[in-house]
């Protein structure tokens, strides 16, 4: 075997204009990475170059992903480039798989300067699906806007990248591998790890595992159905919920990560996790949960498939926060939600006199507040919720939070939800997604809409549908000033707020891989009518939203691709 030091090469390249690190990193169809020369290399080099050389040299970086097609190929390139860029140690999930919350946990635990996460979250996988590359920084959370902008700037002028093409890593075998390079850097090490134990340990310090075990496998235990949707959450669900907390093995399904997620979209909502909802309909299970492809998102269902909307989920957790021992110790510093998320959480914040922050979508905004000690619990309507134990949304954490509430209150999901609405009233919420819209059409629509809604005459305008009358109270393009570092983030969605507090919000998704996705978020508050059908309740506002935007006319669509 040749044991001479590995060669480090500098390879000339040409920039691409479109390598923007959005709220979910850089997401493209797999074939973009396969066919555009050095597309992957350019972006990885831009990430490494965004880190000051003094910080990078000898540093630790985490790498892992959701197990989708092309991840391992990409990881092998990342290893070769990390070595050539002076990184001292890479810690990688076995087979390249690690859930996003576990990566966040491990970045913090290993004092890494950051992590590269190979995930396109809820977007489809397989050879015809998407690929995503996300950079998380030393706090364990997604790159801030400033770091994302720096990466983008570098990618637009990049001329070369560094790589060790001869370095062949074994991603399958647990343990340490050491490589000698011909440059002056110390030996480069790669550690292949099983992150489940570290992550489980974190959760053990947050929740009362004995109480959870009693709930899930004690004498009068509840029965649960957990669907990992063939994503990265599977191994964690198996080992923590089944192995340690005693759920029967057959209560956890789709726990083997697959490169194409079994042909399904790993998006935990009623459309893509329909199998879970179906299996719960007959009342066999008391509690159900589905997890997103990289284990960050979650959907909670009660008996007979009772749906808990994500906006309600975080509000319920907030109202019962002291059922979670971690918060008994840390206290509660603040609550936060993304702007499109319904205001259910605001009502809890008001009642408990806890500060409430309203941020743009994307966990990086929450991370900034958490780092400053201002935030303990947050959530997004996009099926994300989490605490300040890490800096990512955390599906398993949210499920254990719900189970902790059930264990403490000895109530069903249905009773907990009903009680919540009785106490606070109900925020009905829905989101319409129009996917794969031509980008120019979508941008023009948003530009025209902004002109319409920000015109002075728009405020006080009335819209009548059937017997409902709505008067505009406020309309704007949402912008956010981070209370910690005063950075301003603009163009985060067009808001129409009516005098009764109902809202219509229009926004372009920042994470889609194909064309543009126009999202319309609709919510309204009801104090008395608590058990109505969400779509029926929000139908008048949906009609108004489509009328103002002329969305169907402009796009030729007759309805949304997805309703959540
Ligand atoms: C979506 C969600 C947002 C989440 C982000 C990253 O972004 O809406 O809440 O933080 O994914 O998971 P969007 O596609 O809407 O820009």
């Amino acid at each position: 075997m040749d044991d001479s030091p590995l060669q480090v090469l500098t390879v000339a390249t040409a920039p691409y204009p479109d390598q923007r690190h959005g709220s979910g990193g850089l997401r493209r169809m797999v074939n973009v990475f396969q066919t555009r020369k050095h597309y992957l290399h350019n972006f990885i080099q831009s990430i490494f170059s965004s880190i000051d050389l003094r910080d990078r040299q000898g540093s630790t970086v985490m790498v892992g992903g959701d197990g989708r097609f092309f991840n391992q190929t990409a990881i092998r390139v990342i290893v070769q480039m990390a070595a050539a860029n002076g990184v001292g140690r890479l810690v990688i999930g076995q087979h390249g798989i690690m859930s996003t919350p576990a990566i966040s946990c491990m970045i913090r635990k290993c004092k890494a300067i950051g992590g590269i996460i190979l995930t396109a979250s809820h977007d489809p996988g397989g050879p015809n699906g998407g690929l995503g590359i996300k950079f998380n920084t030393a706090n364990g959370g997604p790159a801030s806007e400033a770091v994302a902008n720096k990466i983008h700037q570098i990618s637009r002028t990049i001329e070369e990248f560094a790589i060790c093409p001869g370095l062949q890593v074994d991603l399958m075998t647990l343990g340490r591998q050491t490589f000698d390079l011909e440059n002056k850097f110390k030996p480069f090490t790669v550690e292949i790890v099983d992150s489940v134990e570290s992550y489980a340990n974190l959760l053990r310090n947050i929740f009362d595992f004995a109480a959870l075990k009693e709930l899930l496998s004690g004498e009068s235990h509840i029965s649960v159905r957990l669907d990992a949707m063939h994503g990265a959450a599977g191994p964690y669900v198996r080992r923590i919920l089944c192995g340690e907390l005693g759920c029967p093995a057959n209560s956890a399904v789709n726990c083997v990560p697959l490169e194409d997620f079994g042909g399904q979209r790993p998006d935990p909502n009623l459309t893509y996790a329909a199998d879970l909802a179906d299996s719960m309909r007959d009342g066999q299970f008391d509690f159900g949960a589905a997890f997103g492809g990289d284990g960050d998102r979650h959907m909670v269902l009660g008996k007979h498939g009772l749906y808990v909307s994500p906006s309600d989920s975080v509000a319920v957790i907030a109202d019962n926060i002291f059922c979670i021992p971690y918060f008994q110790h840390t206290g509660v510093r603040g609550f936060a939600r993304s702007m499109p998320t319904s205001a259910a959480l605001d009502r809890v914040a008001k009642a408990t006199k806890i500060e409430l922050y309203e941020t743009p979508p994307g966990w990086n905004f929450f991370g900034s507040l958490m780092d400053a000690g201002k935030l303990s619990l947050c959530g997004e309507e996009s099926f994300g919720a989490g605490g300040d134990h890490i800096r990512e949304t955390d599906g398993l954490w949210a499920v254990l939070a719900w189970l902790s509430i059930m264990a403490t209150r000895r109530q069903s999901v249905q009773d907990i939800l009903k009680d919540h609405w009785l106490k606070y009233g109900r925020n009905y919420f829905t989101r319409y997604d129009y996917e794969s819209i031509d980008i120019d059409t979508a941008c023009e629509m948003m530009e025209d809409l902004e002109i319409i809604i920000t015109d002075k005459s728009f405020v006080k305008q009335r819209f009548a549908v059937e017997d409902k009358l709505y008067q505009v109270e406020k309309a704007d393009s949402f912008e956010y000033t981070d209370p910690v570092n005063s950075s301003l983030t603009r163009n985060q969605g067009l808001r129409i707020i009516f005098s009764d507090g109902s809202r219509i919000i229009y926004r372009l998704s920042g994470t889609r891989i194909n064309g543009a996705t126009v999202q319309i978020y609709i919510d309204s508050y009801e104090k008395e009518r608590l058990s109505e059908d969400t779509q029926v309740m929000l139908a008048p506002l949906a009609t108004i939203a489509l009328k103002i935007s002329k969305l169907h006319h402009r796009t030729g669509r007759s309805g949304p691709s997805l309703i959540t």
Side-chain angles (χ1 to χ4, degrees), residues 343-456:
L345 182 63
D346 306 32
R347 294 174 202 286
V348 180
K350 197 169 169 209
T352 52
K353 298 196 172 50
I354 289 171
E355 191 78 31
L356 184 279
Y357 301 90
E358 184 182 29
T359 67
W363 219 259
N364 49 318
F365 298 101
F366 297 144
S368 164
L369 295 166
M370 287 175 177
D371 289 348
K374 290 176 179 293
L375 176 60
S376 297
L377 168 75
C378 51
E380 297 190 287
E381 54 67 42
S382 53
F383 299 84
D388 61 350
H389 59 298
I390 55 169
R391 298 292 181 269
E392 278 282 0
T393 173
D394 190 342
L396 210 59
W397 176 95
V399 164
L400 295 193
W402 264 90
L403 293 171
S404 301
I405 297 168
M406 293 171 77
T408 310
R409 294 183 45 164
R410 298 175 186 280
Q411 275 185 309
S412 66
V413 173
Q414 184 180 17
D415 288 343
I416 292 169
L417 200 58
K418 261 196 184 159
D419 281 0
H420 190 85
W421 292 337
L422 276 174
K423 185 168 170 189
Y424 291 107
R426 180 172 175 189
N427 281 80
Y428 285 90
F429 175 91
T430 190
R431 189 181 89 202
Y432 286 12
D433 285 8
Y434 291 80
E435 295 172 343
S436 306
I437 303 279
D438 171 70
I439 293 182
D440 292 338
T441 307
C443 291
E444 273 167 30
M445 187 200 81
M446 291 296 283
E447 281 160 21
D448 291 350
L449 251 177
E450 183 165 353
I451 294 171
I452 294 170
I453 71 157
T454 53
D455 189 282
K456 270 197 207 112

Side-chain angles (χ1 to χ4, degrees), residues 22-25 27 120-123 134 142 294 296-297 338 340-341 360-366 379-384 392-393 431 433 492 507-512 517 519 521:
S23 59
R27 291 200 196 161
S121 188
H122 50 288
D123 286 314
K134 186 164 90 152
D294 59 328
D296 66 342
R297 299 176 177 209
S338 66
T341 303
W363 219 259
N364 49 318
F365 298 101
F366 297 144
E380 297 190 287
E381 54 67 42
S382 53
F383 299 84
E392 278 282 0
T393 173
R431 189 181 89 202
D433 285 8
Q492 293 300 307
R507 196 178 149 264
L508 295 185
S509 155
T511 62
R512 296 311 157 106
T517 295
Q519 300 182 317
Y521 310 77

Side-chain angles (χ1 to χ4, degrees), residues 531-561:
S531 307
E532 308 293 327
D533 178 89
T534 297
Q535 295 307 322
V536 173
M537 286 301 278
L538 298 177
L541 284 165
T543 305
I544 295 170
L546 293 173
K547 186 175 166 199
I548 297 173
S549 62
K550 301 192 180 72
L551 180 66
H552 287 180
H553 174 72
R554 280 174 176 265
T555 60
R557 299 285 170 92
S558 56
S561 338

Side-chain angles (χ1 to χ4, degrees), residues 158-230:
I158 190 168
E159 290 177 343
E160 57 187 34
F161 61 84
I163 189 161
C164 268
L167 195 162
Q168 296 303 330
V169 68
D170 169 5
L171 296 174
M172 311 303 156
T173 315
L174 289 173
R176 183 184 300 240
Q177 301 162 47
T178 307
F179 303 91
D180 280 323
L181 310 185
E182 65 169 11
N183 59 14
K184 302 278 179 292
F185 302 131
K186 288 198 185 125
F188 170 71
T189 61
V190 173
E191 274 171 56
I192 305 296
V193 298
D194 167 0
S195 63
V196 181
E197 185 47 35
S198 297
Y199 176 71
N201 209 28
L202 179 74
L203 296 185
R204 278 183 209 115
N205 289 319
I206 294 174
F207 298 102
D208 180 347
F209 266 38
L212 292 174
K213 196 167 178 182
E214 183 58 33
L215 176 80
L216 295 167
S217 53
E219 219 168 283
S220 50
H221 64 87
I222 61 166
S223 66
V224 303
R225 177 88 165 178
L226 307 160
D227 189 339
M229 300 189 87
H230 288 301

Side-chain angles (χ1 to χ4, degrees), residues 68-123:
R68 65 178 57 229
F69 179 79
F70 206 72
N71 270 9
Q72 288 198 6
T73 308
I75 290 175
R76 289 175 204 285
V77 171
I78 291 169
V79 177
Q80 294 176 340
M81 292 186 66
N85 275 280
V87 171
R89 172 181 172 232
L90 281 187
V91 182
I92 308 180
Q94 192 180 22
H95 307 294
I97 299 176
M98 217 192 279
S99 77
T100 293
I103 295 181
S104 186
C105 154
M106 294 290 281
I107 291 173
R108 296 164 72 81
K109 187 173 172 237
C110 299
K111 306 219 173 329
I113 51 162
I116 298 179
I117 311 182
L118 283 292
T119 177
S121 188
H122 50 288
D123 286 314

